[in-house]
């Protein structure tokens, strides 16, 4: 029995490592591609590293791809970072306060308010893209960070999750806070926010990646190349008219674009 258990454990680990290898192999190929010149990658896929790693990354960070507009990658990453942080922080701030009001304040129609918020789940950005763009254009939000962030800042999903979490907080905590003289704001800051720490961290990861990967809305609301996000930049580099994509530089940009979401996920692991 011990031998069978050990054999089963070894087989399980083998399948696990096989799955990890399948997931990491495309990343390995992308990393190898960033170390070669453009000529090497035409018609072939090298499996070992070359010697152009620093040159390729320096080129995309400082110069970008000339055929795609010559925008340095750090500019596009900065735009994506502002957009992702703005969306994540804004969604959390609005959702947690909305859920707090719905759960802890007694006012007429509060359940109706929650239902109306929840209904917006059936209206994603793609459904309301035309009126949203018209409002952004009328407010002169085109080619601005406000235009990138504000139309995507509300979240019915986050409001729902916070509401469900707040409903699990014992009523005795609220009564104890009232006896100690704590008002709604004090209860929110000293009790609700600390208890929401892990939920907020999980939501921040999801919402940051959601904002970082946005493509359709930034494509509509930005005209200037200096406002392009990293996802828009990669798409433009791949689809260059009458030119062969420079895959060594594109893969470098793709790997750089993966770093911020990866760092956010790793940084939130303890929470």
């Amino acid at each position: 029995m011990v031998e069978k258990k050990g054999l089963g454990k070894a087989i399980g680990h083998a399948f696990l490592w096989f799955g990890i290898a399948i997931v990491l192999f495309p990343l390995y190929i992308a990393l190898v591609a960033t170390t070669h010149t453009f000529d090497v990658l035409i018609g072939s896929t090298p499996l070992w590293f070359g010697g152009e790693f620093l040159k390729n990354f320096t080129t995309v960070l400082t110069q970008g791809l000339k055929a795609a507009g010559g925008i340095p990658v750090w500019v596009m990453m900065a735009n994506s970072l502002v957009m992702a942080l703005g969306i994540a922080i804004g969604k959390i701030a609005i959702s947690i306060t909305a859920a707090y009001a719905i759960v802890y304040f007694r006012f007429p129609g509060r359940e109706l308010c929650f239902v109306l918020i929840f209904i917006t789940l059936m209206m994603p950005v793609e459904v309301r893209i035309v009126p949203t763009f018209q409002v952004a254009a009328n407010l002169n939000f085109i080619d601005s960070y406000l235009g990138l962030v504000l139309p995507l800042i509300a979240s019915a999903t986050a409001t729902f999750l916070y509401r469900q979490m707040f409903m699990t907080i014992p009523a005795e905590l609220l009564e104890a806070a009232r006896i100690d003289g704590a008002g709604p704001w004090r209860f929110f800051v000293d009790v609700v926010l600390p208890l929401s720490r892990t939920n907020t961290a999980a939501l921040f990861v999801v919402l940051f990646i959601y904002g970082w990967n946005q493509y359709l809305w930034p494509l509509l609301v930005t005209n200037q190349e200096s406002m392009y996000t990293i996802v828009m930049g990669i798409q433009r580099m791949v689809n260059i008219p009458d030119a062969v994509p420079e895959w060594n530089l594109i893969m470098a940009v793709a790997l750089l674009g993966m770093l911020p979401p990866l760092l956010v996920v790793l940084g939130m692991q303890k929470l």
Side-chain angles (χ1 to χ4, degrees):
M1 295 296 293
V2 175
E3 292 181 357
K4 289 183 179 179
K5 184 176 181 180
L7 179 61
K9 185 177 181 180
I11 294 175
H13 284 185
F15 275 105
L16 178 63
W17 283 109
F18 179 71
I20 292 174
I22 292 177
V23 173
L24 293 182
F25 184 70
L27 298 179
Y28 170 77
I29 293 298
L31 183 60
V32 169
T34 63
T35 64
H36 290 278
T37 61
F38 171 66
D39 298 336
V40 174
L41 297 179
I42 297 178
S44 65
T45 304
L47 297 178
W48 194 244
F49 300 97
E52 302 294 322
F53 180 82
L54 291 178
K55 181 180 178 181
N56 289 335
F57 275 90
T58 302
T59 299
V60 297
L61 284 171
T62 59
Q63 303 175 19
L65 271 71
K66 295 182 179 179
I71 304 299
V73 172
W74 72 266
V75 174
M76 295 186 288
M77 292 185 68
N79 294 335
S80 292
L81 185 62
V82 171
M83 183 178 180
L85 287 176
I87 289 175
I89 295 174
K91 281 179 178 287
I92 289 174
I94 293 175
S95 299
I96 196 170
T97 51
Y100 181 72
I102 291 172
V103 173
Y104 290 104
F105 288 84
R106 299 293 185 265
F107 57 90
R110 66 190 186 99
E111 291 298 330
L112 177 61
C113 291
F114 174 70
V115 171
L116 293 176
I117 293 174
F118 199 71
I119 287 176
T120 61
L121 283 174
M122 296 181 287
M123 294 186 295
V125 177
E126 293 77 10
V127 174
R128 50 184 171 85
I129 197 73
V130 174
T132 303
F133 176 79
Q134 185 175 2
V135 171
N138 292 337
L139 294 175
N140 295 322
F141 284 170
I142 305 300
D143 287 323
S144 68
Y145 290 127
L146 288 176
L148 288 172
V149 174
L150 281 183
L152 305 179
I153 206 172
S155 174
T157 303
T159 304
F160 171 74
L161 293 176
Y162 275 122
R163 174 184 178 270
Q164 298 305 108
M165 183 267 169
F166 292 163
M167 293 178 67
T168 64
I169 297 178
E172 290 78 7
L173 285 178
L174 177 60
E175 296 298 328
R178 287 176 175 173
I179 293 174
D180 291 339
W185 178 251
R186 184 70 179 275
F187 179 71
F188 177 73
V189 173
D190 292 346
V191 178
V192 174
L193 282 184
L195 292 176
S196 306
R197 189 181 178 192
T198 54
N199 296 67
T200 301
L203 276 172
F204 182 83
V205 172
V206 174
L207 296 176
F208 181 89
I209 296 175
Y210 165 81
W212 185 268
N213 289 335
Q214 280 295 313
Y215 173 71
L216 178 60
W217 179 248
L219 182 66
L220 293 176
V221 82
T222 57
N223 296 318
Q224 300 178 9
E225 294 179 344
S226 59
M227 292 299 299
Y228 283 1
T229 62
I230 188 68
V231 178
M232 294 173 61
I234 294 174
Q235 192 276 340
R236 189 173 183 183
M237 294 172 188
V238 172
N239 297 288
I240 302 175
D242 302 324
V244 179
E246 299 182 53
W247 289 109
N248 55 327
L249 301 182
I250 295 172
M251 291 301 176
V253 176
L255 291 178
L256 288 172
M258 291 175 56
L259 285 180
L262 179 62
L263 293 176
V264 168
V265 172
L266 294 178
M268 294 293 180
Q269 283 298 304
K270 291 185 179 181
L271 297 176

